[in-house]
Amino acid sequence: MKFVCKNEIQKGFSDDQKYCVTDENGAVYLLRQADLTIRSRKEEEFQLMKQLDALGLSMCRPVALWSDKVAVYS
């Protein structure tokens, strides 16, 4: 996924850095960036979000989870 626009969101209660991003097709997403040291917790959170999404709850849909040498992204 390639982002063409990235605007930081400074609201919320988590320690994650949050961004409103737009991909090359114009789709808009919430990108969350967290410290790599909590990757396992973020993997669990992502799986729970997928389960809740399958139930049809009104929420941000989990699309992808990945990491690099610095952070974990969802």
Side-chain angles (χ1 to χ4, degrees), residues 5 8 22 34-35 67-68 71:
C5 181
E8 186 173 9
T22 305
D35 191 86
S67 62
D68 58 18

Side-chain angles (χ1 to χ4, degrees), residues 16-57:
D16 296 351
Q17 293 177 315
K18 294 170 282 301
Y19 302 91
C20 179
V21 296
T22 305
D23 72 9
E24 53 200 357
N25 297 318
V28 178
Y29 300 93
L30 170 65
L31 174 66
R32 300 177 73 99
Q33 177 181 332
D35 191 86
L36 190 58
T37 60
I38 61 169
R39 178 176 170 86
S40 62
R41 189 175 85 188
K42 288 298 179 179
E43 288 172 344
E44 290 176 28
E45 179 182 297
F46 187 78
Q47 292 304 318
L48 288 172
M49 287 180 69
K50 285 174 57 174
Q51 291 174 9
L52 293 172
D53 182 50
L55 295 174
L57 293 176

